[in-house]
Amino acid sequence: MRSAKDFFRPLAVGAPAPPREVPFRPSRMIHFFDPGNEKMAAKVPALAPQVDVLLGNLEDAVAADRKEAARAGLVSVARATDFGATQLWTRVNSLDSPWALDDLVTLVTEIGDKLDVVMVPKVEGAHDIHYVDRLLAQLEARAGLRRPILVHAILETAAGVAAVEEIAAASPRMQGISLGPADLAASRRMKTTRVGGGHPGYLVREDPQGDAPRVTYQQDLWHYTIARMVDACAAHGILPYYGPFGDIQDVTACEDQFRNAFLLGCVGAWSLHPVQIDIAKRVFSPAPEDVAWARQVIEAMGDGTGAVMIDGKMQDDATFKQCQVVVGLADALAERDPQLAASYAAADKAARR
């Protein structure tokens, strides 16, 4: 085990120092694109201002004979695009594939100055993160990078879920963790072919009431995993994300699933199609009236100690902390989204009348 004194020292001579705190930047949606698809790559400059994170996908959905083209396409897109405040991420191929090493070597040395986060699929334990951590440090030193590239893990196997706490704590590079429901379902031998969302067969039924029909309620297959992931991330100062919702046409269920994740503590989700961008933007931004109420509580609480009554409801130090979370997120999002900032200002003004 490494000494705690060494945890924040670079893992390679000449590499930048690891971060001591994960920088919080808006990441309500991680929007995936195939950099090997010329039509899709051409849309990146126009798409970048609309999303918080653009992710060049090199793994699933990229056929084996297109892996190198996708990697080269991402290098080309990154060099040609001014992303502004939008983050550029990539999902590399899994560590047991023949492409992962070339993905990391090429991307870090050629566009490392543009790359914010490397998403690693099918992470099963701290050992996977340690491998990527050391390799990134060596490549950063070779490329002369001045800031470290962060690492994001995907929970896609039963082993990964069982080790989620050690994964979250594996490196100061850890930026966050996403749920990968499709591969996780296969790993667990779950009997569903859906990518995220609920299942009509996973339900509870009310007790008998004579001969009346018994009402059923569909349950969330992913509640346990998301909650456990959120706890692991919160305990180690990194960010949890819901992953993909595969039914592009069912925007209502997508919004419900995203909102459940948001309420549980996730900061964002993946968007696989432009229609999901606005859903994620809406769901993972606190409602203006909630932000106005939170500001009212913070103002009334002063130093955050004691208790006050507002509109007949008791507010104490725990409420104060909850309100700080809401306001802190709203302020960060408002800096990036002028329309949202205007909505927050209007709601705050209305609440003070």
Side-chain angles (χ1 to χ4, degrees):
M1 179 181 294
R2 293 175 66 199
S3 165
K5 300 185 186 71
D6 295 331
F7 197 62
F8 292 103
R9 292 179 180 172
L11 290 176
V13 176
R20 291 183 174 268
E21 186 175 342
V22 174
F24 179 82
R25 298 172 63 186
S27 46
R28 294 164 292 181
M29 76 297 296
I30 304 170
H31 189 68
F32 278 56
F33 74 98
D34 178 356
N37 182 318
E38 292 183 5
K39 291 184 178 179
M40 197 174 291
K43 296 178 181 178
V44 165
L47 188 60
Q50 302 176 40
V51 300
D52 295 335
V53 177
L54 267 174
L55 182 144
N57 184 26
L58 305 183
E59 196 218 8
D60 289 354
V62 178
D65 61 357
R66 295 182 54 249
K67 295 292 187 182
E68 293 185 8
R71 186 190 304 134
L74 182 54
V75 170
S76 178
V77 167
R79 286 176 172 170
T81 306
D82 179 1
F83 294 96
T86 297
Q87 301 174 59
L88 177 64
W89 295 19
T90 185
R91 177 169 70 168
V92 296
N93 286 282
S94 60
L95 299 181
D96 62 354
S97 78
W99 305 288
L101 180 60
D102 286 341
D103 289 343
L104 291 170
V105 171
T106 299
L107 298 179
V108 177
T109 56
E110 296 196 26
I111 57 167
D113 58 328
K114 290 283 193 81
L115 201 58
D116 293 289
V117 175
V118 169
M119 182 181 281
V120 183
K122 301 175 181 64
V123 173
E124 297 201 323
H127 56 282
D128 287 334
I129 302 301
H130 293 161
Y131 169 77
V132 174
D133 195 5
R134 176 78 71 172
L135 182 56
L136 285 176
Q138 293 170 336
L139 294 172
E140 288 166 347
R142 174 191 290 183
L145 299 184
R146 296 186 177 183
R147 63 168 177 80
I149 296 170
L150 303 184
V151 173
H152 184 104
I154 315 177
L155 290 188
E156 297 185 276
T157 68
V161 175
V164 64
E165 287 83 6
E166 72 170 51
I167 292 169
S171 166
R173 285 185 194 273
M174 283 298 297
Q175 181 272 344
I177 301 177
S178 285
L179 170 70
D183 279 295
L184 180 55
S187 173
R188 286 174 167 169
R189 296 190 289 276
M190 294 168 65
K191 309 309 184 284
T192 176
T193 57
R194 298 183 174 201
V195 179
H199 193 287
Y202 191 69
L203 52 81
V204 294
R205 190 181 305 270
E206 72 171 352
D207 291 341
Q209 303 292 332
D211 295 330
R214 296 168 66 182
V215 177
T216 62
Y217 303 90
Q218 185 171 315
Q219 302 294 289
D220 185 356
L221 289 164
W222 309 108
H223 180 87
Y224 156 79
T225 307
I226 294 172
R228 184 170 179 183
M229 177 183 73
V230 168
D231 281 346
C233 288
H236 295 284
I238 65 176
L239 305 175
Y241 296 77
Y242 187 80
F245 187 88
D247 190 343
I248 304 300
Q249 296 182 344
D250 193 348
V251 294
T252 301
C254 177
E255 181 161 345
D256 290 341
Q257 190 71 72
F258 283 6
R259 182 166 289 105
N260 289 345
F262 173 67
L263 292 171
L264 277 173
C266 290
V267 300
W270 300 6
S271 54
L272 307 181
H273 186 275
V275 73
Q276 295 181 339
I277 293 174
D278 286 339
I279 296 174
K281 188 176 292 187
R282 179 168 61 252
V283 168
F284 290 99
S285 301
E289 58 272 20
D290 292 341
V291 177
W293 166 256
R295 293 191 193 282
Q296 185 179 352
V297 172
I298 290 173
E299 184 175 337
M301 286 288 296
D303 64 358
T305 62
V308 297
M309 295 294 292
I310 303 176
D311 296 340
K313 299 178 182 179
M314 189 194 78
Q315 313 296 330
D316 60 10
D317 61 330
T319 318
F320 180 82
K321 294 173 186 174
Q322 289 175 295
C323 290
Q324 285 183 312
V325 170
V326 172
V327 170
L329 175 58
D331 288 343
L333 295 177
E335 289 182 7
R336 173 163 175 75
D337 190 330
Q339 186 175 357
L340 195 59
S343 297
Y344 288 152
D348 190 47
K349 184 177 180 180
R352 294 177 181 276
R353 289 176 182 168

